Amino acid sequence: MIGLGAMGEPMAQHLANAGYLSMVWNRTPEKSTQFATRNGVTAAETPAQLAAGCNVILVCVSADADLKDVIEQLLPAIKPACVVCDLSTVAPATARQVAASLEPTGAGFVDAPVSGGVEGAKKGCLSVMAGGESANISRIMPVLETFSASVTHMGPVGSGQATKAVNQVIVAGIAEATCEALALAEKLNLPSQRLLSVVSAGAAGSWFLDHRGASMLENQFDVGFKLSLLLKDLLICRSLAQDLDIHVPTVEAAIRDYSALVEKGHGDHDISGLIHLKRGAD
Ligand code: NAP
C-alpha cells in the first residue's frame, strides 16, 4: 500500500487485518514506520523496494502529478505479474497514461476510485468504481473487498475515474445546496437538532447531511474530505464537460466557492467548510 493519508491509512488497516498486507510506503516516512510497527509489516524505504516485493500494489495519493510520480518510482522494479491499482481520484486520461506506462513491464493496471468518505474507509464499506481488464479486477477483488461494500466494474481503464467524476458532480451539488440551506436555517433561528432530524427523514436526506450536518453547525471542519481535494476533482469534471460540450453551472459555482475558500487558507478544511461562504462570513 502506497499512501497512508486519511483514506489510505484505514484501507491499509483493513488489508492488514485480513492478512493481505506485506509492505507500506508513505512520502512522510514517520507515518509508514509507525503503521508498520503497529501491524507487523515492512515499511519500504522507497516505492521501488515495495514494487520488488509485492504482486498487488495499491496507491492512494492526492492528485494526478503525485500518482505519476509514484508510478515512475515503481517502474524500474515492478514485477511482470503485478497488478497496480490506483484508489486516488485523478483524471481518466491520467489513468490511461499510467496504464500505458506500465504496459511494457507486463504489469496490469486498474483505476479504482472510491466513494464513502473517511467514515466509509474506516468501516470498510466504500463504493469502488473500477476500470480495467476483468482478469486484473478479478485478481485483486479479495483485496478490494476488505474495505468496500461493493466493487463495480465500469469498463476499460479510465471508466472508474469517469464514474468518479460523475459522482463528484453530485457530491458538489449536494454540498452547495446543503450548506446554503443550513446557513439559511441559522438565520431563521430554527432549532438545529430538530431541523437536522426532520429534514434528514424526508426527501432532502443525504449522506452529507447525515455525516456533516451536525458538525458544520458546531463549526467543526477538521475531519473528512479536504475541500482542496474536491476542487481538484471539480477541475477534472469541468475539463471532461468542456471536451463534451456540456454546460455544468453547478460545477462552475462550486469551483468558484472552493477556490475562494482555498485562497482564504481553508484548503485543509472538510468540504462542509463551504458553509463559511454561505453564511456570508470569511
Ligand atoms: P490526504 O489525507 O491528504 O492524504 C494524501 C496522501 O497522499 C498522503 O499519504 C500523502 O503523503 C500522499 N501524497 C501526496 N502527494 C504525494 C506525492 N507527490 N508522492 C507521494 N505521496 C504523496 O488525502 P485523502 O483524503 O487520503 O485522499 C487521497 C485520495 O483519495 C485523493 O485523490 C482524494 O481525492 C481521494 N478521496 C478522498 C476521500 C475523502 O473523504 N478524504 C474520499 C474519496 C476519495 P504525506 O503523508 O507525505 O503527505
Side-chain angles (χ1 to χ4, degrees):
M1 178 84 199
I2 291 186
L4 298 174
M7 295 298 282
E9 200 268 346
M11 289 194 266
Q13 190 60 58
H14 287 292
L15 296 172
N17 295 347
Y20 287 130
L21 193 67
S22 59
M23 278 194 223
V24 288
W25 181 81
N26 192 73
R27 178 180 59 178
T28 306
E30 290 73 32
K31 281 191 204 168
S32 41
T33 48
Q34 282 169 16
F35 182 93
T37 307
R38 275 201 314 278
N39 288 284
V41 298
T42 304
E45 283 179 16
T46 60
Q49 185 195 343
L50 186 144
C54 297
N55 293 321
V56 176
I57 302 173
L58 303 185
V59 183
C60 188
V61 292
S62 305
D64 300 55
D66 310 315
L67 173 66
K68 288 183 200 168
D69 193 31
V70 162
I71 297 292
E72 207 162 288
Q73 295 180 64
L74 293 173
L75 275 177
I78 205 148
K79 301 199 266 185
C82 182
V83 175
V84 178
C85 172
D86 176 41
L87 304 155
S88 333
T89 303
V90 298
T94 299
R96 290 190 288 271
Q97 208 180 319
V98 165
S101 72
L102 285 166
E103 208 177 338
T105 70
F109 180 75
V110 173
D111 54 309
V114 301
S115 182
V118 174
E119 291 88 341
K122 286 184 177 158
K123 288 184 191 148
C125 60
L126 292 168
S127 175
V128 181
M129 314 156 191
E133 287 175 20
S134 300
N136 288 333
I137 294 174
S138 300
R139 264 192 67 201
I140 63 169
M141 191 59 93
V143 166
L144 297 178
E145 281 175 345
T146 64
F147 50 74
S148 62
S150 68
V151 178
T152 307
H153 186 187
M154 298 304 298
V157 167
S159 319
Q161 295 296 353
T163 308
K164 176 74 186 195
V166 171
N167 187 84
Q168 295 309 75
V169 175
I170 299 172
V171 164
I174 289 173
E176 286 288 321
T178 307
C179 292
E180 256 170 48
L182 293 190
L184 176 64
E186 286 176 332
K187 299 272 189 227
L188 292 168
N189 287 320
L190 292 167
S192 57
Q193 284 309 321
R194 273 179 276 162
L195 174 88
L196 291 176
S197 118
V198 70
V199 171
S200 300
S206 68
W207 185 99
F208 186 65
L209 191 62
D210 286 348
H211 291 83
R212 300 288 179 263
S215 55
M216 79 171 103
L217 291 177
E218 287 161 12
N219 288 313
Q220 288 170 16
F221 307 108
D222 49 347
V223 290
F225 183 30
K226 289 176 190 159
L227 61 86
S228 59
L229 290 176
L230 181 57
L231 177 58
K232 170 256 309 172
D233 299 352
L234 291 169
L235 295 172
I236 294 170
C237 299
R238 170 198 267 169
S239 163
L240 290 173
Q242 276 172 348
D243 289 348
L244 297 165
D245 218 8
I246 302 268
H247 188 44
V248 281
T250 306
V251 170
E252 293 301 336
I255 288 174
R256 265 196 313 278
D257 286 348
Y258 292 116
S259 301
L261 287 163
V262 168
E263 266 169 39
K264 289 172 199 283
H266 299 309
D268 282 348
H269 281 181
D270 178 71
I271 65 169
S272 54
L274 176 61
I275 197 168
H276 281 307
L277 283 189
K278 304 295 180 184
R279 283 169 174 156
D282 71 345

